[in-house]
Amino acid sequence: MQEADVLDKYREAGRILAEVRSEAIKKVQIGEKLLDVAESIERLILQKGGAVAFPVNISLNDEAAHATPSKDDVSTFGRDLVKLDIGVHIDGYIADTAVSIDLGSNRELLEASNIALEQAIEVVHAGVDTAAISAVIEQTITDCGFHPVVNLTGHGLERYTQHAPPPIHNRRTQGGTKLKEGQVIAIEPFSSNGNGRVYETGKAEIYSLVKTKPIRSPEARAILKEAEVYKSLPFAKRWLKGRVDMGLKQLETAGIIRAYPVLKDKGLVSQAEDTLIVTADGSEVITRI
Ligand code: MN
Ligand code: MN
């Protein structure tokens, strides 16, 4: 059971995020620049008094997660299936949400993730096993005629930790974890018309600090100084000043930071995500107004 004031910080993060998300959806239109959209969403979070929990993810079509524009990205939206994944924190307490926007003709695929999320939220209450949630997600997406993405999961949330236990799988598992009252979790079904399994591409724009240890390179040290502000939360390469390619590589090789390569499926992917507080008889979805 979380302390009441801690839950209030989650609620505040969720309320800000819900407002930001409804504004963000309107920005995603054919011809708009991805970089402008990402930066304006991040600015909006700050204007509303939140902190950015991780770079705004804008993943298109076969990209499932971890895509965010680079500093010099000039690409614009076309008839894409867009996933916006946004996070806000208050004092380290994170709310995490994602929404898919169909600028083309993939309404059914988009709805599969939305319906799976609704059905999953229905079964949440203190004492439920996460395996029951996973079974509902798989069944719903399969009934819609698509594949759940089996190697991406929902998760618990802890202070400054976006992916805490328990994992909430998008397919049936043999026994999970019983949820407790006051636990904060994110449920995020992904539906695919491809394999239902993502792979890492070679491209990364998002990193996080894993551990600190001395490093000699001035380029690496300059990045480390900037990155430490984000504690263990992910940050974007485009947030860093100057030329950073060499320094990032050095930090990654030294095991000080980790990269989050863009994850793709062999097909189109949709996603829906909300953060909720588990209650005795259900849940409180904090990322909706
Ligand atoms: Mn998310
Ligand atoms: Mn998440």
Side-chain angles (χ1 to χ4, degrees):
M1 183 76 173
Q2 301 275 10
E3 300 288 333
D5 59 339
V6 164
L7 290 182
D8 280 343
K9 288 180 180 176
Y10 277 112
R11 289 186 182 104
E12 173 70 356
R15 185 189 61 75
I16 292 170
L17 183 50
E19 290 178 12
V20 167
R21 179 177 55 191
S22 57
E23 291 298 311
I25 291 168
K26 294 182 218 157
K27 298 175 191 285
V28 176
Q29 294 191 28
I30 292 174
E32 292 296 318
K33 284 169 74 177
L34 275 71
L35 181 60
D36 289 348
V37 170
E39 289 184 332
S40 68
I41 295 170
E42 289 163 2
R43 266 199 309 273
L44 192 57
I45 292 170
L46 300 177
Q47 280 164 12
K48 287 180 179 291
V52 179
F54 53 84
V56 169
N57 283 212
I58 306 180
S59 306
L60 303 182
N61 305 319
D62 58 348
E63 295 171 342
H66 299 169
T68 200
S70 63
K71 213 178 267 185
D72 55 2
D73 191 327
V74 293
S75 64
T76 56
F77 292 106
R79 288 176 50 80
D80 298 306
L81 177 55
V82 183
K83 277 79 58 186
L84 280 185
D85 199 328
I86 316 172
V88 169
H89 78 85
I90 296 287
D91 195 23
Y93 299 102
I94 305 162
D96 184 4
T97 194
V99 62
S100 296
I101 301 144
D102 178 29
L103 299 176
S105 51
N106 295 289
R107 196 73 215 167
E108 287 177 1
L109 179 57
L110 180 150
E111 285 303 336
S113 292
N114 287 345
I115 300 166
L117 177 58
E118 293 309 317
Q119 298 291 326
I121 290 172
E122 284 297 311
V123 302
V124 172
H125 58 83
V128 78
D129 195 292
T130 55
I133 304 170
S134 300
V136 166
I137 293 172
E138 176 174 359
Q139 190 64 51
T140 308
I141 294 172
T142 306
D143 286 349
C144 290
F146 300 105
H147 301 293
V149 175
V150 298
N151 55 344
L152 289 173
T153 73
H155 48 87
L157 289 150
E158 281 168 18
R159 195 176 186 206
Y160 289 110
T161 303
Q162 189 197 349
H163 290 149
I168 299 172
H169 296 276
N170 289 321
R171 68 161 161 190
R172 261 177 203 85
T173 54
Q174 293 293 327
T177 309
K178 279 201 180 1
L179 295 179
K180 295 189 185 78
E181 189 175 349
Q183 200 166 359
V184 184
I185 57 167
I187 302 179
E188 48 183 313
F190 287 82
S191 309
S192 165
N193 66 7
N195 291 345
R197 182 173 286 276
V198 291
Y199 60 93
E200 289 188 351
T201 66
K203 189 179 176 324
E205 291 290 337
I206 301 176
Y207 296 85
S208 74
L209 204 53
V210 184
K211 61 176 171 200
T212 39
K213 63 178 180 190
I215 186 156
R216 294 176 73 110
S217 146
E219 293 88 349
R221 289 162 75 133
I223 294 170
L224 207 49
K225 209 165 173 202
E226 281 189 78
E228 275 163 358
V229 174
Y230 308 111
K231 298 191 164 39
S232 47
L233 294 172
F235 60 90
K237 184 174 158 185
R238 67 180 151 79
W239 293 353
L240 303 170
K241 292 188 212 75
R243 297 171 67 86
V244 293
D245 287 300
M246 195 172 71
L248 283 172
K249 192 90 241 152
Q250 290 164 340
L251 288 167
E252 201 186 334
T253 305
I256 297 172
I257 61 170
R258 62 159 290 196
Y260 295 83
V262 174
L263 299 174
K264 280 190 180 185
D265 197 341
K266 289 199 158 48
L268 300 175
V269 178
S270 69
Q271 176 197 16
E273 178 179 25
D274 276 304
T275 299
L276 30 121
I277 300 170
V278 179
T279 62
D281 57 356
S283 70
E284 178 187 337
V285 182
I286 62 168
T287 42
R288 295 183 188 177
I289 298 168

